[in-house]
Amino acid sequence: MTTMRPRLDEFPCGRTRRRTFLADVGMGFTGLALGDMLRRETLASEAGEKLVHSREPHFTPKAKRVIWIFLSGGVSHLETFDPKPALNQYAGKSYDETKLPNPQKSPLYLERSRSVVGFERELMSTIFPLQIGYERYGRSDTQVSDWLPHLAQCVDDISIVRSMYTTDNDHNAEFQMHHGRHSLDEKQPVIGSWVHYGLGTLNQSLPQFVFLGQYRDTRVKANYAPDYLGPEHSGIELSLDPDNPLPYARRGRGILRREQQNEFEFISQLNRLSAVEYPEDEQLRARIQSYELAFRMQMAVPDALNLKRETAETEALYGIDEEHTSIYGRRLLAARRLSERGVRFTLVYLSDYGEWDSHANLKKFHARSCRRVDKPIAGLLHDLKRRGLMDDTIVACCTEFGRTPAVEYGKFNRAATGRDHHPHAFSVWLAGAGIKRGYVHGATDELGFHAVEQPHYVTDIHATVLHLLGIDPRRLDVPGRKRLEIDYGTPIYDIMT
């Protein structure tokens, strides 16, 4: 017979259960008789089973896992996937001097932008010509920037969404892309944490949500923060250092594996007994799971991240043999190895923080950054395809916003060689399980200013990924937590097979 345990909220006004009180004053694990210890261990075991959050998909999924590539700083859609010849035609003219409607006077301008930098950003209105050419590729005849020659060869395997927009006009838009809220609003769990929360694990020896990348600005951690879902749904940061892939879970010198296993088992037993007393303690729940996972990961993670097991041909495919692509190639190859071993959501931070933020010298810096990611990303797509992993893996490549059609010129930038932040329009692309191949969805206006055809807020990308994983986001609601309609997003069915 199952014993019904009372809920914490059944003890109002701070009153405490008798068992909890006795445990707190010294009659817990160390003070009880052996018989009661064994009885409580049984209860703890039952409680422990409930601590493992494992759910089945809400409906038949098309995908099992996600590789989420993020490019920080704001990639110019105008110089990558959304060519606008009108920028060359009207270069040097103001918006009012063209024959086109002034996009800064459109109602969409205020609807889709909220300033957070203490002042309204200067209005840039002198049109800046395209800094690179475009060619058409593949059976889909899709235009791709000349800065992306390798990725252009994969255009028949991806769906490009040219009609994205966000609302934060500063770099908090990076975190908005992951959790869906403006920086002035209440935060939400990130997309990786929702996947972690909603689905069971595919591999008990690896984390479900992994972060691969390097950064100096600790705000980057917000991209894999679980918020109110609790720390057990946080992204786990892994290192590509072959000597220390698990900096915080490495066995100390002189400690045998069996000794550490016994220590972890003892700590786990203590924690599970405490879980009986504090069933609502999410920190304790996360601690239990982290100890168990940390021990298992000590064997599984070094093997998964051992890139030396790959052939020279595979390393060359990702550009690991070339200096300018080596770092990012290693991250994406590691993402493939983790994914094929069952990691549900791998966030690959494929840039330095703010790397794509080309307020000046856009031609120089975007060309450099494109060169760093082009071959590695194309290599990942080729590798997934030849291994059959595209059949159950989603690849999403995102940034936080686009760049202005106008040149940036003002007190912060006198060079007039770059573009400012642009939340009103940008491009992302997806590939893999359940995604149409060689497809372009949505459109911006003639200047690339506003997303006008089939516009999508950032949570529509979340909804699309969750849908392909078989998850209905409305069925993930946490009691006591109010979500807004915009948090759920709407799947982009047009790009799905």
Side-chain angles (χ1 to χ4, degrees):
M1 183 177 70
T2 301
T3 302
M4 298 299 294
R5 300 188 55 77
R7 292 164 48 91
L8 286 180
D9 55 12
E10 293 174 359
F11 297 88
C13 303
R15 283 180 281 171
T16 307
R17 293 174 297 169
R18 177 175 176 273
R19 180 185 296 173
T20 301
F21 172 77
L22 293 175
D24 285 347
V25 297
M27 295 184 66
F29 177 76
T30 57
L32 294 175
L34 178 61
D36 197 45
M37 279 174 51
L38 296 175
R39 178 183 64 82
R40 289 159 65 86
E41 185 175 10
T42 300
L43 291 173
S45 178
E46 294 175 356
E49 292 176 2
K50 298 176 183 177
L51 297 179
V52 181
H53 188 97
S54 178
R55 293 184 180 179
E56 294 297 319
H58 301 138
F59 45 85
T60 303
K62 292 186 176 181
K64 293 181 179 179
R65 59 185 72 86
V66 181
I67 297 175
W68 182 280
I69 302 168
F70 189 76
L71 308 177
S72 174
V75 177
S76 174
H77 55 302
L78 304 169
E79 273 86 18
T80 49
F81 295 105
D82 194 8
K84 295 296 174 181
L87 297 183
N88 293 336
Q89 179 182 352
Y90 296 114
K93 295 183 178 181
S94 69
Y95 294 134
D96 283 330
E97 291 173 333
T98 71
K99 299 178 181 180
L100 305 172
N102 186 333
Q104 292 174 329
K105 296 178 181 178
S106 166
L108 294 176
Y109 185 77
L110 293 180
E111 287 177 15
R112 295 180 181 171
S113 178
R114 296 167 64 189
S115 180
V116 294
V117 292
F119 57 88
E120 292 296 328
R121 302 189 77 89
E122 294 181 67
L123 293 181
M124 309 299 171
S125 59
T126 301
I127 295 173
F128 193 43
L130 294 175
Q131 299 298 291
I132 189 65
Y134 277 76
E135 295 292 339
R136 294 185 178 275
Y137 293 88
R139 295 185 304 276
S140 58
D141 200 34
T142 302
Q143 289 181 285
V144 180
S145 165
D146 291 343
W147 281 334
L148 299 169
H150 293 92
L151 190 53
Q153 300 300 322
C154 304
V155 73
D156 282 339
D157 291 318
I158 70 177
S159 272
I160 301 170
V161 181
R162 287 178 173 167
S163 52
M164 297 301 303
Y165 74 91
T166 187
T167 58
D168 198 318
N169 68 356
D170 206 56
H171 290 291
N172 282 310
E174 171 171 323
F175 318 125
Q176 186 175 13
M177 171 53 81
H178 291 94
H179 60 57
R181 289 287 187 95
H182 191 281
S183 61
L184 299 178
D185 299 329
E186 181 186 23
K187 301 298 180 292
Q188 293 289 304
V190 296
I191 175 61
S193 292
W194 281 120
V195 173
H196 187 298
Y197 177 78
L199 292 175
T201 182
L202 294 172
N203 187 332
Q204 292 285 351
S205 296
L206 289 171
Q208 292 184 65
F209 178 15
V210 164
F211 173 86
L212 294 174
Q214 292 179 317
Y215 56 87
R216 295 178 182 177
D217 194 318
T218 57
R219 289 178 297 176
V220 171
K221 293 182 178 180
N223 292 320
Y224 52 95
D227 202 76
Y228 59 74
L229 290 181
E232 68 266 39
H233 299 295
S234 177
I236 303 297
E237 203 174 330
L238 298 181
S239 169
L240 294 187
D241 179 354
D243 297 323
N244 193 20
L246 282 169
Y248 304 106
R250 191 177 186 180
R251 225 172 25 250
R253 290 184 179 180
I255 299 177
L256 300 176
R257 176 177 170 81
R258 184 59 195 172
E259 289 177 321
Q260 187 186 54
Q261 184 177 10
N262 290 338
E263 179 183 348
F264 277 9
E265 287 175 354
F266 179 65
I267 293 172
S268 178
Q269 185 180 50
L270 293 178
N271 285 334
R272 288 182 180 278
L273 291 175
S274 296
V276 177
E277 308 301 339
Y278 305 102
E280 306 296 328
D281 189 337
E282 64 179 29
Q283 295 288 340
L284 177 60
R285 186 166 62 245
R287 190 183 311 141
I288 292 171
Q289 294 183 355
S290 66
Y291 270 114
E292 294 173 345
L293 180 59
F295 182 76
R296 295 193 301 267
M297 286 198 309
Q298 286 185 341
M299 295 293 288
V301 168
D303 176 68
L305 297 182
N306 186 0
L307 305 187
K308 293 180 180 179
R309 295 179 180 271
E310 299 291 335
T311 65
E313 183 273 337
T314 297
E315 290 188 349
L317 183 66
Y318 285 82
I320 293 174
D321 58 339
E322 301 175 42
E323 183 179 359
H324 63 279
T325 52
S326 177
I327 293 176
Y328 293 167
R330 286 170 56 82
R331 285 183 201 167
L332 289 173
L333 179 53
R336 189 222 79 202
R337 290 177 63 86
L338 289 167
S339 293
E340 68 185 345
R341 285 163 172 77
V343 172
R344 285 283 192 188
F345 194 99
T346 305
L347 167 54
V348 187
Y349 202 70
L350 208 65
S351 62
D352 296 326
Y353 177 72
E355 177 178 333
W356 293 82
D357 194 23
S358 299
H359 293 276
N361 294 318
L362 182 143
K363 186 172 186 177
K364 172 184 175 181
F365 292 126
H366 261 51
R368 181 197 64 183
S369 294
C370 282
R371 187 179 181 215
R372 294 178 74 186
V373 304
D374 178 41
K375 188 174 185 179
I377 293 176
L380 172 69
L381 295 178
H382 285 306
D383 203 16
L384 292 175
K385 188 175 181 180
R386 69 183 182 179
R387 293 172 182 270
L389 292 171
M390 289 282 265
D391 296 336
D392 57 10
T393 304
I394 302 166
V395 179
C397 187
C398 306
T399 188
E400 65 244 55
F401 43 51
R403 313 302 300 187
T404 55
V407 67
E408 179 170 356
Y409 178 81
K411 58 185 178 182
F412 295 118
N413 183 2
R414 298 295 183 185
T417 54
R419 303 186 189 274
D420 197 7
H421 306 166
H422 195 67
H424 305 280
F426 63 101
S427 298
V428 304
W429 60 260
L430 298 92
I435 298 293
K436 288 180 180 177
R437 300 183 176 189
Y439 194 69
V440 175
H441 172 89
T444 55
D445 58 34
E446 290 182 81
L447 296 171
F449 196 107
H450 289 296
V452 291
E453 293 182 18
Q454 299 171 304
H456 295 284
Y457 180 64
V458 296
T459 50
D460 288 357
I461 297 296
H462 300 182
T464 301
V465 168
L466 292 175
H467 182 85
L468 292 170
L469 291 169
I471 299 175
D472 178 357
R474 296 179 186 277
R475 295 171 64 179
L476 296 181
D477 283 353
V478 176
R481 293 289 180 173
K482 175 66 175 177
R483 301 181 72 193
L484 304 178
E485 189 65 27
I486 200 171
D487 295 327
Y488 300 109
T490 302
I492 307 176
Y493 294 109
D494 186 51
I495 68 170
M496 298 184 196
T497 55

